Amino acid sequence: MELAEAVQNLYTPEALADPYPYYAVLTERAPVLVTDHLAVVSSYAACSAVLRDARFGVADARWMDRNGPDWRDSAAMRLLDQSMLLRNSPDHERMRRLVSREFTARRVAGLAPTIERLTGGLCDRMAEAGAAGEPVDFMAEFAYPLPVTVISELLGVPEADRPKFRQWSQDLTLSLEPFDSWAELAPADAAAVALRDYFADLADQHRGADQRRNRPETAGDGSGLVAALVDVHDEDGGRLTADELFANLALLLVAGFETTTNLLGNGLRILLDRPEAADALRADPGPAAAYVEEILRFDSPVQFASRGALVDIDVEGVTIPAGREVSLLPGAANRDPSRFADPDRFDPARPDNQPMSFGTGAHYCLGSALARLEAQIAIPALLRRFPKLTLAAPPVRRNRFVLRGYDTLPVFTTGASTSLRG
């Protein structure tokens, strides 16, 4: 495969199904590739260097304005622009500092009993659905409801409202994928309006002491990030504007389960294709954390990140000119043979395993510890509960490049006479 072919074909159906051969060509031949319009960064060292360097910024409003102000016609892009996802210093630090109070190590660790309880309940539901030998869609019955429930409890989202978030989330994340025209973002724009309106209404329900005492019941302890950020907005002169409040709540909700859903689906598929690895974890859940790190490395739920060079910058001996957009490929970095020996082999015992899946630097994923905890609890529990768990039909990948996961992953909970690999 030629270098130009590897770049041009990254978004083809073949590469979406299996991007790793294309990544291997880039990482080997041009780990930092600069073209007339773009820089593509695929090696572990180069991705880390770019993400840690403040001279690379995210595509904020000023950056997008230089490429055409018509982005403001998109409700999805306007929403993301008000969130910390598309803000640089100092706005990014201001927003992240306020939000991160709810993602402390102690708060995340305290969610373990809730995750264990939810995992048990979802396993019960899968067992009931598959008791007669019928296939069960793991994505619909487990991989989606677990993380959406956890992040909803953390935020303080009422239980009755949660079913609507899956479609909103899937539609909004279209704005993170490559697209050719703004018209393609119509579903994302509709979802952005719906999410903003939803959180505006929920924030109103939390305002004032009397209203907060009488707000709708949640499955958690009644407190949540919505109330905490409303207090910040209302009581401290607007350290978050109203638009920033709603945008960051929508971002946290979507990011809080999209990545984890894909982590769970990708992880289960990997283990079902490797019965010996599944059996080892089933027998001894102690290495669960190591398994999750290797799942993140082997088939990352996030395959792409974007930055822009604010000045001319040398990265691994290659100059990236000021103003050049930079496409980073963490999925490629995770298979970089200069960082990971025998990178195409799934090895939970891999030493010094630090995948690039959640990024690094200032924009390191705020919810990474929570995603890891959910997977560390859920995957061993599934394997123990269903010792004969097998694929029931070929899983169907989502037609996405940035967020890599499955639409459907049918399984037999009681076993089957054949197994499917690939």
Side-chain angles (χ1 to χ4, degrees), residues 100-112 366 369-370 373:
S100 64
R101 296 173 181 176
E102 296 296 313
F103 286 88
T104 63
R106 181 178 179 182
R107 181 70 186 272
V108 170
L111 290 169
L366 193 62
L370 181 57
L373 180 64

Side-chain angles (χ1 to χ4, degrees), residues 58-65 71-72 74-88 91-92 94-95 172 175-176 192 241 243-244 247-248 251:
V58 298
D60 60 10
R62 288 179 298 177
W63 182 277
M64 290 190 286
D65 280 342
W71 69 269
R72 297 178 186 274
S74 166
M77 296 308 299
R78 293 198 308 273
L79 182 77
L80 294 176
D81 168 61
Q82 293 296 315
S83 76
M84 57 186 168
L85 181 69
L86 295 185
R87 289 298 182 93
N88 292 302
D91 285 339
H92 175 261
R94 169 176 57 85
M95 295 182 194
L172 182 63
S175 61
L176 304 177
T241 68
D243 286 340
E244 291 171 348
N248 280 293
L251 172 66

Side-chain angles (χ1 to χ4, degrees), residues 38-79:
L38 189 69
V40 180
V41 177
S42 56
S43 74
Y44 189 95
C47 281
S48 179
V50 170
L51 291 172
R52 292 176 182 275
D53 194 327
R55 295 175 296 174
F56 290 98
V58 298
D60 60 10
R62 288 179 298 177
W63 182 277
M64 290 190 286
D65 280 342
R66 288 197 292 270
N67 295 299
D70 53 347
W71 69 269
R72 297 178 186 274
D73 295 335
S74 166
M77 296 308 299
R78 293 198 308 273
L79 182 77

Side-chain angles (χ1 to χ4, degrees), residues 260-282:
T260 309
T261 293
N262 291 340
L263 169 58
L264 292 171
N266 294 352
L268 185 62
R269 176 65 191 277
I270 290 167
L271 292 175
L272 292 181
D273 280 351
R274 293 161 180 81
E276 67 289 347
D279 287 343
L281 185 58
R282 185 179 285 116

Side-chain angles (χ1 to χ4, degrees), residues 184-200:
E184 295 177 34
L185 295 190
D189 292 336
V193 172
L195 281 164
R196 190 194 185 284
D197 289 347
Y198 173 80
F199 280 112

Side-chain angles (χ1 to χ4, degrees), residues 39-380:
V40 180
V41 177
S42 56
S43 74
Y44 189 95
C47 281
S48 179
V50 170
L51 291 172
R52 292 176 182 275
D53 194 327
R55 295 175 296 174
F56 290 98
V58 298
D60 60 10
R62 288 179 298 177
W63 182 277
M64 290 190 286
D65 280 342
R66 288 197 292 270
N67 295 299
D70 53 347
W71 69 269
R72 297 178 186 274
D73 295 335
S74 166
M77 296 308 299
R78 293 198 308 273
L79 182 77
L80 294 176
D81 168 61
Q82 293 296 315
S83 76
M84 57 186 168
L85 181 69
L86 295 185
R87 289 298 182 93
N88 292 302
S89 181
D91 285 339
H92 175 261
E93 289 86 349
R94 169 176 57 85
M95 295 182 194
R96 187 180 177 99
R97 184 170 56 251
L98 296 171
V99 174
S100 64
R101 296 173 181 176
E102 296 296 313
F103 286 88
T104 63
R106 181 178 179 182
R107 181 70 186 272
V108 170
L111 290 169
T114 297
I115 297 169
E116 291 168 356
R117 171 177 56 81
L118 293 170
T119 294
L122 292 171
C123 284
D124 289 344
R125 194 164 80 178
M126 286 182 62
E128 181 178 355
E134 294 295 317
V136 178
D137 181 11
F138 173 73
M139 302 308 295
E141 298 299 327
F142 193 103
Y144 166 74
L146 175 64
V148 78
T149 302
V150 172
I151 193 62
S152 293
E153 292 199 8
L154 189 62
L155 289 174
V157 169
E159 185 173 1
D161 293 343
R162 296 169 191 175
K164 67 184 72 173
F165 292 132
R166 185 175 193 181
Q167 191 61 54
W168 286 348
S169 173
Q170 289 181 348
D171 289 345
L172 182 63
T173 54
L174 285 169
S175 61
L176 304 177
E177 299 287 331
F179 56 89
D180 294 322
S181 71
W182 295 111
E184 295 177 34
L185 295 190
D189 292 336
V193 172
L195 281 164
R196 190 194 185 284
D197 289 347
Y198 173 80
F199 280 112
D201 290 342
L202 190 60
D204 284 343
Q205 295 174 31
H206 284 284
R207 282 196 166 91
D210 291 339
Q211 290 173 310
R212 285 198 294 275
R213 279 196 296 270
N214 295 304
R215 66 177 178 267
E217 292 289 327
T218 71
D221 61 3
S223 63
L225 189 55
V226 173
L229 292 184
V230 166
D231 288 343
V232 166
H233 172 263
D234 291 349
E235 297 174 10
D236 195 30
R239 281 191 289 169
L240 284 175
T241 68
D243 286 340
E244 291 171 348
L245 170 66
F246 307 141
N248 280 293
L249 288 171
L251 172 66
L252 289 168
L253 176 73
V254 171
F257 70 85
E258 275 283 343
T259 303
T260 309
T261 293
N262 291 340
L263 169 58
L264 292 171
N266 294 352
L268 185 62
R269 176 65 191 277
I270 290 167
L271 292 175
L272 292 181
D273 280 351
R274 293 161 180 81
E276 67 289 347
D279 287 343
L281 185 58
R282 185 179 285 116
D284 177 13
Y291 269 74
V292 170
E293 293 310 297
E294 182 66 350
I295 290 167
L296 286 166
R297 186 201 69 83
F298 192 80
D299 199 13
S300 175
V302 179
Q303 295 280 322
F304 177 87
S306 179
R307 295 291 186 271
L310 304 180
V311 296
D312 290 351
I313 310 172
D314 180 271
V315 178
E316 300 292 303
V318 177
T319 299
I320 299 179
R324 194 63 46 91
E325 182 180 349
V326 182
S327 294
L328 299 117
L329 304 176
N334 289 342
R335 298 281 190 107
D336 183 351
S338 69
R339 175 61 178 81
F340 300 102
D342 196 6
D344 294 328
R345 179 169 62 91
F346 182 77
D347 180 13
R350 187 178 297 279
D352 190 29
N353 196 1
Q354 300 180 42
M356 193 69 65
S357 306
F358 290 118
T360 189
H363 283 264
Y364 182 73
C365 178
L366 193 62
S368 60
L370 181 57
R372 285 181 162 103
L373 180 64
E374 291 179 60
Q376 290 165 14
I377 291 172
I379 292 175

